[in-house]
Amino acid sequence: MTISPARVSALRLMLRRARADARSLVLLALLTGLVALAAGVVPRAMAATSAADLAVSVSSVSTPTRDPSAVLTTLPATAIWPEPTHESVYGILDASIARIQDAADEPLRTAMGEAQEAVITKDAIGVIHPDLARSPGDLALRLAADPADSADSADSAGSGRVVYIAGAAPVSWVYPARAATAEDAGGPAEGLGALPDFAATATSAHPFEFALAKDAAAAMKLTVGDEVTGSLGVMRLSGIFEQTDPDDGYWQHVTGVTDAEITYPGNDSPLFTATALVNPLSVGTFLMSGELGVYTRFWWPLSAASVTPANAAEMSSALHRFGQTLFPLSVPDGSAVRSVTVSSSLADAIDTSRGRMSATLAVLSLCLAGPVGAVLAVFALAARSVALRRSAVTALMVARGARARDLRVVAGAEGLAVGVPVAVVAAVVAAAVVPGGYGAGGEGGDCGGILPWALPLVVALSPAAFFAVTAVDGRGLRLARRDLSPLARGRVRLALEIGAIVLAGLATLLLVRRGVASAAAFDPLLTLAPLLLALAVSVVALRLLPVLLGAAARIARRGRGIVAFIGTARATREPALGVAAVLALVLGVAVAVFASATLTTVDRTARAAAHNAVGADVRATGALFSDAAVDAVAAVPGVASVVPLATAGASRLAPLSNGVTGGAGSGTSVTVLITDTAALRAQHPDVPVGLSERIDGRIPMLVSRDLVDIESTFGGQATGAHARLGITDVVVAGVMDATVDLGVDRDWVLVDKSFARDVGANRFGPSTLLVETDAGADIAGVADGVRAELPGVRVDDAAAVLGVVQAAPSSVALRAVLAASALAGALLAALALFVASVSASTARARTLGTLRTMGMSVRPALGLVAWEIVPATVVAALVGTGLGLVLPWLVLVSTDLGPFTAGATPAAPMYDSAQVALVVGGFVVIAALATTLAVVAARRTSPATTVKMGEE
Amino acid sequence: MSAIECRDLVRIYTAEGVEVQALQGLTLDVERGELTAVVGASGSGKSTLLNVLSGLDVPSAGSAIVEGHDLLAMRERDRVQYRRKVVGFVWQQTARNLVPYLTAEENIVLALAVAGAPRAGRAARAAELLALFDLSAQADSRPVQLSGGQQQRVAIAVALANEPAILLADEPTGELDEHNSELVLGAMRDVNEQLGITVLIVTHDPGVSEHVRRTVQIRDGRTATETLRRVTVSDSGIESHTAEEFAVLDRVGRLQLPAEYVHTLGLRDRVRLDLTRDHVEVFRGDAQAIADAATTPVASDDDPALSRRARRALSEGEAGA
């Protein structure tokens, strides 16, 4: 019979070979596809997270702090009297602003919009309502001018930011002129000409005009034409306006315009403060008046959208450089050139986001060690399993004259056929599932670019590499004698093991010495170090295992049962699980435990930091709280204690030495807090008792830690030191730790409410309530309860602060990364266990066959399987748990977790034993399932057949 | 020129401080076209010899020249060509000789493909070989569908695919029954006689020796004895098979005495040698043996059986008397 040439081609023979191992190859292809999918999705997801996190971080910065802005305490005007013009008042400023903008680097320069300016009085002027009966309370006006509204400015149409709905825009007001006198000149006054009359004030005939926003005017019960009196004289409301766009960034720089702010400054009458707009050319009056301080503010609007992942790094650098430069402004008096710095917190927001992404990527890099190591182990196991099954045919082909190189090439080609198509499909699917994150411009920072395509390519080539390596025994084509001990290769293996341990130590040392990496990118050292560590401990575990099993074998030999005896003997001499499987197991457990510990550390630290940021679990501010209100809040379910806190404003604390203070003006300016110290003790047990009773006629007070840390405050010993607070004699009764946040950052003292009047408050009127909740209570729910009791009051809770931190995209990504890598590691370890068990099934079937012919029943056979798997798995789980408990240290040393913990840096990892036990237990269950599946899969081989057919 | 020429071949395996001397100075010559069996007990070194001759193993010392190829001096590249073109190999396990998922014909073609034979002629060559062994009907059968004997014959066909000069077989009938063994050995004999291929069969089954003209026995890594078989036809046309066993003498005159001789005579440590005109006598060398020899009846001077030493002893004794 003739044979067609097609039937004899090498390709066909290869296909026949592949068909014989179809099941293994399909499984391997599936795994390759899944890994390639993950390899394509993860970088894209990280890029998307990076972009989202950056957007959230940048937009969370308020407009006034984001826009690069500068403040002058003066105005470089040339001529402000008697006839100021826009050019004479604002000319130099405008020119300087243009120069400063040109000095900015890209991409900042392009992103900065057109400059905006405002001149605002430093303090509000108290004014008196024309009709006290109609007045809602005390009134104060801050005056602001928008140079763009100047009548003779370049843009004569005005800024267009306001539209007058009643009255008209205010006109300018300058001091009237008077003739120079001899006094002015210090001699004859001829030739001096006119001088401004500072004694003059605005009158009804020539009032100082101002305009208010609609809501502010309504709150202050003022209408157009009303004249209020203040330090400037008669001030007339010339017009009421509406803001064209209340959300315009301008009104966030010039605050208080839209509505009046209501405060209660120590007495019962409310104070209404609003910012009024005046004519830009009236600014000269502010400058000339000795009482009205003024500051000039200019800024460039910078939209959050102008910061992209692609330009974030450059924008941050440009902002930092911009902020560190002193820009000179010329002033007309010819004196030293004033300099101004332009600041923006956008750089910090960008850096915070990049820091978060850096930390996330660092944690991701470390977590990747688990799945990557397990995947490599599974690939190695699968390839070796296939090679072992084909070893007889390989030996045959070698005997027939095939070259090792050719065999490797054929195996590699087979690996390519297995890996490349699925990987391509997976990469395309990944691109569809998570679009974006790639581009020539490196969008997505360092996790975009070509990485989402390069990684699946590496995965695609892995099966080919493993197949080619395992295809032929590396010792060459010469046969080995099977009766000689396989430890003939022992020396090579020992050298490799020692090498692995040394490398692991080196990598860890490098990591520890390097400290925190600055780049927001995948950190290969953080992936390599734990992988090598896991390899090192796996190697050690495998060396120790025979020792343990030997001891177990000796015990088993004394017993009557056969299973333990044979089980330990097989486990020692014919181990089913090699380095690859044990490594996968160790990594799987380690990553799972690491994830649990890291999550615990981050959560607990963040919770504590959020609590400190608020000062308590829940904090209410913004009103005067009566005793009834305090009791109502205390009655809310879940509330453990309420501390009312009042402030008596600032005072001067002067320590006494020898009964004498340092003199007027000496001492430190501190904030005086007043509270119910008994209630405070309920929340902070280290508050000393007896703070409501005088000590030797002196009022006892607590001081903040930072006051004590400054030596000049109290010299040596703080507690017991005598001092004078304002005019009151006080004695330091205790020091409160810096972690106790009572709403004031630093330099505060605290006295009991019974001494409220003594320290300058009319009475004890708490404006802050610190609420601690019961253990395990729902903080957000308690906060809602407090809100219900105190409508209109601002209520902050630690849960909300924590929520903001945890809502950041990178925080979400961190949790997802930890959870996913733990799961992936566990599943891959289970898969490695499955493959190793299946590979060992041939040898097991042979032993079982022999034992069955001797009369052993089925049940003990399962015991053999247990002995094969369980000791190694238990040791691997123990070793992996140990490694997993150590790995968080690596993260703390090499990563700044501050962005996830609301700024606090955890000093040491924290462990939740229950969670760790659950994780390890879950892993054991998965491993048991994998083993059961492997046993079931292998049971289909009849032992009788195996005995008859021999090893094949 | 000999097809196979081994001189003082040594192969030592070292592992974990243990040394195994599989071949301890083996000397063997096989002429072209010979059908030779190499027999020996387990551990005698015969499989090692075959691995060396097939190029799958490299000897530690000595020399082995097969069809002009020096096996100690060959590089890996040469070894590959050697395995393709010079030797064909058949193992004992039938399952190991053939690729289980390929048919008989495909197995032969695989061997041709590995050696790089032109694609055009592969099919024809496979058909030719299958016909040679009466296996044309089994061309499309996979090994599991063939009997043990058929499998081994296909294995021989595969081994001969690239027209090697030498066919090496390691216990080819080890797993077969008597009938199939006969078939396989018969096939090898045909290959030897019809194709002129030198055949070397390694076996521990003495029954195989009866099918070959020359049997070499290996003991402790060295050749011990050889048996040559002849078929003589008498004048009346009756065939008689004769087998003569020889002890192998190496270059320096060492030989191995057969085990039963050594055991029967209780030979140990030293032996005495006596040279006669045409043979060498071997005597026990211990004191008792010497005493016994002195009391043995003395042969006459002219007795050709007398050894030179015995004659001298006699003459001295006479001189002294």
Side-chain angles (χ1 to χ4, degrees), chain A residues 719-816:
Chain A
T719 309
H722 291 186
R724 184 157 280 169
L725 184 67
I727 55 167
T728 313
D729 292 327
V730 293
V731 60
V732 178
V735 180
M736 281 198 82
D737 221 8
T739 56
V740 177
D741 189 344
L742 297 177
V744 185
D745 271 347
R746 42 178 295 119
D747 296 348
W748 52 261
V749 299
L750 184 141
V751 298
D752 187 75
K753 62 182 181 182
S754 51
F755 302 116
R757 283 187 190 277
D758 297 295
V759 292
N762 288 341
R763 60 182 188 82
F764 176 55
S767 55
T768 302
L769 294 180
L770 300 175
V771 179
E772 287 288 350
T773 57
D774 295 324
D778 174 24
I779 296 177
V782 170
D784 288 335
V786 171
R787 277 188 200 98
E789 290 296 334
L790 306 172
V793 158
R794 176 179 159 163
V795 176
D796 297 312
D797 60 285
V801 171
L802 191 64
V804 166
V805 168
Q806 291 179 341
S810 51
S811 280
V812 173
L814 179 75
R815 306 179 104 74

Side-chain angles (χ1 to χ4, degrees), chain A residues 861-872 931 935:
Chain A
L862 297 176
L864 280 188
V865 176
W867 271 104
E868 208 173 80
I869 307 283
V870 166
T931 313
V935 168

Side-chain angles (χ1 to χ4, degrees), chain A residues 425-454:
Chain A
V425 167
V428 169
V429 167
V433 163
V434 185
Y438 60 95
E443 294 154 28
D446 299 290
C447 32
I450 60 163
L451 214 57
W453 294 109

Side-chain angles (χ1 to χ4, degrees), chain B residues 240-257:
Chain B
S240 60
H241 298 251
T242 1
E244 275 185 277
E245 189 175 327
F246 300 87
V248 173
L249 199 67
D250 71 5
R251 256 185 327 166
V252 297
R254 280 185 296 241
L255 60 79
Q256 282 194 22
L257 296 174

Side-chain angles (χ1 to χ4, degrees), chain A residues 89-168:
Chain A
V89 178
Y90 298 108
I92 294 178
L93 182 68
D94 289 343
S96 303
I97 287 172
R99 253 198 336 271
I100 293 172
Q101 182 160 8
D102 282 341
D105 296 324
E106 291 295 347
L108 183 58
R109 193 189 318 166
T110 317
M112 286 158 80
E114 211 175 287
Q116 293 173 349
E117 306 152 20
V119 183
I120 311 171
T121 56
K122 218 179 266 183
D123 300 310
I125 307 168
V127 297
I128 300 171
H129 199 283
D131 181 357
L132 284 173
R134 198 166 30 111
S135 172
D138 296 334
L139 306 180
L141 291 175
R142 206 176 280 112
L143 306 177
D146 182 356
D149 281 335
S150 175
D152 65 338
S153 74
D155 182 7
S156 57
S159 65
R161 278 187 267 270
V162 299
V163 166
Y164 281 89
I165 57 172

Side-chain angles (χ1 to χ4, degrees), chain A residues 116-444:
Chain A
Q116 293 173 349
E117 306 152 20
V119 183
I120 311 171
T121 56
K122 218 179 266 183
D123 300 310
I125 307 168
V127 297
I128 300 171
H129 199 283
D131 181 357
L132 284 173
R134 198 166 30 111
S135 172
D138 296 334
L139 306 180
L141 291 175
R142 206 176 280 112
L143 306 177
D146 182 356
D149 281 335
S150 175
D152 65 338
S153 74
D155 182 7
S156 57
S159 65
R161 278 187 267 270
V162 299
V163 166
Y164 281 89
I165 57 172
V171 298
S172 69
W173 193 93
V174 294
Y175 281 107
R178 65 169 174 82
T181 63
E183 251 178 22
D184 295 316
E190 302 88 37
L192 272 181
L195 289 172
D197 183 4
F198 291 124
T201 55
T203 61
S204 292
H206 185 39
F208 191 99
E209 288 194 350
F210 66 96
L212 281 175
K214 187 176 72 173
D215 291 338
M220 289 179 152
K221 296 200 172 32
L222 290 171
T223 54
V224 175
D226 278 345
E227 290 179 350
V228 298
T229 39
S231 59
L232 281 176
V234 174
M235 299 170 69
R236 186 173 160 275
L237 180 60
S238 69
I240 293 177
F241 59 84
E242 256 182 358
Q243 291 151 316
T244 320
D245 180 11
D247 295 326
D248 189 332
Y250 192 88
W251 306 118
Q252 300 186 39
H253 286 272
V254 182
T255 56
V257 172
T258 313
D259 201 350
E261 185 193 347
I262 308 171
T263 54
Y264 298 86
N267 55 32
D268 289 316
S269 179
L271 172 65
F272 290 77
T273 311
T275 303
L277 295 185
V278 302
N279 189 289
L281 297 180
S282 302
V283 162
T285 307
F286 303 162
L287 293 172
M288 299 172 93
S289 156
E291 293 168 22
L292 289 178
V294 70
Y295 59 87
T296 308
R297 201 186 168 107
F298 58 91
W299 65 92
W300 292 264
L302 189 59
S303 82
S306 62
V307 181
T308 65
N311 70 8
E314 284 111 20
M315 184 69 92
S316 172
S317 315
L319 280 165
H320 280 301
R321 275 195 301 274
F322 199 50
Q324 284 156 10
T325 314
L326 277 178
F327 296 105
L329 302 166
S330 48
V331 285
D333 63 357
S335 60
V337 171
R338 290 263 180 111
S339 298
V340 69
T341 54
V342 182
S343 63
S344 165
S345 55
L346 182 62
D348 291 334
I350 295 174
D351 292 342
T352 302
S353 174
R354 297 188 80 230
R356 274 203 295 260
M357 280 317 297
S358 171
T360 305
L361 287 173
V363 170
L364 175 67
S365 302
L366 202 150
C367 286
L368 276 181
V372 163
V375 160
L376 287 174
V378 171
F379 274 169
L381 281 169
R384 203 166 60 105
S385 151
V386 169
L388 268 174
R389 241 204 314 281
R390 293 175 178 174
S391 60
V393 174
T394 306
L396 179 60
M397 298 194 48
V398 162
R400 303 285 177 229
R403 276 190 294 235
R405 191 182 65 198
D406 294 339
L407 290 173
R408 288 192 206 279
V409 164
V410 166
E414 196 175 359
L416 283 176
V418 163
V420 170
V422 279
V424 165
V425 167
V428 169
V429 167
V433 163
V434 185
Y438 60 95
E443 294 154 28

